Amino acid sequence: MSANADLLERRVEAISRGVSFITDFFAEKAENSEIWDVEGRRFIDFGSGIGVCNTGHRHPKVMAAIEAQIAAFTHTCHQVTPYKGYVELAEKLNQHVPGAWQKKTAFVSTGAEAVENAIKIARAYTGRTGLIATSGGFHGRTFMGMSLTGKVVPYKAGFGPMMNDVFHVPFPNKVHGVSVADSLTALKALFKTDIEAHHIAALIFEPTQGEGGFYVAPQDWVEQIRALCDDYGIVMIADEVQSGFGRTGKFFAMEHYGIEADITISAKGLGGGMPISAVTGKAAIMDAPNPGGLGGTYAGHAVAVAAANAVCEIMADPTFHDRTTALGEKLRTLLENLRSEIPQIADVRGQGLMVAVEFMENGQPRADMVSSIMSYAKERGLILLSCGVYGNCIRFLPPLTIQDEVFDEALDIIAEAIKQAV
Ligand SMILES: Cc1ncc(COP(=O)(O)O)c(C=O)c1O
């Protein structure tokens, strides 16, 4: 039996089936945009551990920061004996998160945990309970995370009841016939049929939906929800767990809009491969919870903080983001050019290197094409991820540091994979 087959058998035997997996090979080592499996096969990584390794696997500066931190200490718990790196990282986030007002930050470990804390902070600040999220949105697998998530299977099915006072409105989505007006009409109807606007603590959304299908929020929708939040004193939360940290060619996707959320959530790319997440927002909002109301044993773990400080330094260079934009344009051009040959390509979208292609035929999603593309690509040594409520989109999330020649190699495989799937 091969090493992968053996591990696969043991995996099925030992691990809950609730923890699903996409590839059937096991990682042994990784470097920048490439992963090698336990049988020595090389794969180009267009998933980055679901948008985490934006600075690539084992970026030298991230590794040096981790090694220096490990040599000093690994854990004291910031709430017991604080450390400088945590303070420095908070200062960096306060600087980079959009908003020209005084900001404060709190660190936790995962995206879902940051979502939980953003909601706690918004409720403490407003003294209200109601929450608005969007259909197709994804905010994690904790109870509040899955309650806010706008997709039932697999995230909520069997886990109910969900948290109280969570309401969903349609996310504008041209491909599936939801206009900005439809979304805003539903939002206003909510205030008539379900909950008074003055009982809403927060509205949470992703500037570009991640798991939901890489749908980019239209400018006028973001403008109008900002105005609505201002009118009713609702805390606007931008969940930038997937869209943040350089993924869209800017530090944060909200920079594309010139609009500022009251609270911004970061995770994934922030840690350069280490588990860390952040909640950053207006100082008065962030200071609403009582001392001790936020945090956690591992919140802002020293080693992850060291890695994140290195990531911030890498991304402080504007040319880093220019390159992301250029690579994203190259990928989108390839996909757009394929449209004349492949009528099932219903849409090509995204910002920077947060790009997706959606497959439909006669108004029906073609999830089967996505499966075929992913398995063909895997056989040719390329890891791809799907997304979308109907599973009919491929999302492209390569490391932003991917080498030009590896990127071109992957683009050739993508073109072949799409052509063979028709
Ligand atoms: C937008 C968004 N929010 C929250 C999460 C949850 O993050 P985590 O899986 O680290 O809990 C994710 C994860 O994919 C995400 O994409």
Side-chain angles (χ1 to χ4, degrees):
M1 191 183 279
S2 72
N4 280 314
D6 174 52
L7 280 169
L8 199 58
E9 216 173 89
R10 287 166 55 195
R11 184 195 190 285
V12 171
E13 205 53 40
I15 298 172
S16 164
R17 73 183 188 117
V19 185
S20 64
F21 55 99
I22 290 166
T23 54
D24 55 2
F25 54 86
F26 289 74
E28 187 155 272
K29 61 174 185 153
E31 200 70 45
N32 196 0
S33 60
E34 294 157 291
I35 297 179
W36 285 265
D37 77 359
V38 288
E39 293 171 18
R41 250 192 99 186
R42 169 223 184 223
F43 295 86
I44 303 173
D45 186 9
F46 257 49
S48 299
I50 317 190
V52 167
C53 299
N54 292 358
T55 43
H57 294 278
R58 305 181 74 255
H59 189 290
K61 288 190 176 153
V62 174
M63 294 311 292
I66 291 173
E67 279 161 20
Q69 183 57 50
I70 288 172
F73 65 91
T74 57
H75 180 75
T76 61
C77 181
H78 186 78
Q79 285 147 258
V80 179
T81 310
Y83 30 92
K84 187 173 157 194
Y86 191 115
V87 180
E88 288 174 339
L89 186 59
E91 288 168 349
K92 285 182 188 139
L93 275 153
N94 296 341
Q95 179 203 333
H96 289 298
V97 164
W101 6 263
Q102 192 200 348
K103 276 164 257 161
K104 289 197 176 185
T105 289
F107 295 108
V108 277
S109 305
T110 67
E113 213 187 337
V115 168
E116 297 279 332
N117 280 278
I119 298 298
K120 281 167 62 176
I121 293 164
R123 281 185 167 172
Y125 176 71
T126 58
R128 308 172 181 180
T129 56
L131 302 167
I132 299 176
T134 61
S135 56
F138 183 77
H139 301 287
R141 290 178 171 85
T142 54
F143 257 98
M144 184 53 86
M146 71 173 165
S147 301
L148 295 167
T149 289
K151 183 175 176 182
V152 176
V153 179
Y155 305 122
K156 303 185 193 210
F159 300 136
M162 296 292 130
M163 302 298 281
N164 281 340
D165 272 358
V166 174
F167 304 91
H168 286 88
V169 295
F171 190 83
N173 182 331
K174 242 200 296 189
V175 184
H176 294 279
V178 182
S179 66
V180 168
D182 293 336
S183 172
L184 294 169
T185 304
L187 185 47
K188 284 171 190 156
L190 196 70
F191 298 152
K192 295 252 179 270
T193 59
D194 291 284
I195 185 165
E196 283 177 66
H198 290 104
H199 287 169
I200 300 291
L203 186 154
I204 184 167
F205 73 104
E206 299 157 88
T208 290
Q209 287 195 324
E211 312 297 301
F214 279 27
Y215 298 105
V216 182
Q219 176 77 28
D220 51 342
W221 184 78
V222 179
E223 279 169 16
Q224 294 197 55
I225 60 165
R226 178 66 270 179
L228 193 127
C229 287
D230 289 339
D231 287 348
Y232 294 110
I234 297 168
V235 175
M236 187 197 214
I237 303 176
D239 181 344
E240 293 239 27
V241 167
Q242 199 156 157
S243 61
F245 270 80
R247 180 48 62 186
T248 70
K250 298 202 181 279
F251 238 105
F252 290 97
M254 285 298 280
E255 291 172 52
H256 291 284
Y257 297 91
I259 291 171
E260 291 126 9
D262 302 306
I263 291 180
T264 298
I265 302 172
S266 317
K268 291 191 186 280
L270 163 64
M274 297 299 284
I276 183 163
S277 57
V279 184
T280 304
K282 284 187 173 153
I285 299 178
M286 293 299 295
D287 274 342
N290 290 318
L294 306 178
T297 306
Y298 300 111
H301 188 270
V303 181
V305 159
N309 269 313
V311 167
C312 287
E313 274 157 35
I314 296 163
M315 289 194 187
D317 174 0
T319 62
F320 183 92
H321 303 285
D322 294 344
R323 182 163 184 272
T324 300
T325 304
L327 291 176
E329 268 166 24
K330 196 168 182 184
L331 172 56
R332 270 200 305 278
T333 304
L334 169 90
L335 296 167
E336 285 291 356
N337 289 344
L338 283 171
R339 287 183 89 156
S340 53
E341 255 178 89
I342 321 270
Q344 293 88 348
I345 297 182
D347 195 30
V348 173
R349 57 178 171 268
Q351 288 172 323
L353 260 177
M354 189 167 186
V355 174
V357 54
E358 177 155 3
F359 297 92
M360 311 263 291
E361 194 160 14
N362 303 323
Q364 294 305 312
R366 287 286 309 266
D368 59 313
M369 283 183 73
V370 165
S371 306
S372 162
I373 292 163
M374 284 173 67
S375 63
Y376 181 91
K378 191 192 71 184
E379 290 314 312
R380 297 286 317 275
L382 173 67
I383 300 170
L384 291 178
L385 300 179
S386 64
C387 65
V389 173
Y390 307 101
N392 64 326
C393 309
I394 301 261
R395 57 175 149 170
F396 302 97
L397 287 169
L400 311 176
T401 50
I402 189 167
Q403 312 87 314
D404 287 328
E405 63 283 7
V406 180
F407 191 68
D408 290 345
E409 190 185 337
L411 261 44
D412 288 344
I413 300 173
I414 290 164
E416 276 172 35
I418 293 177
K419 286 182 194 163
Q420 65 77 46
V422 178

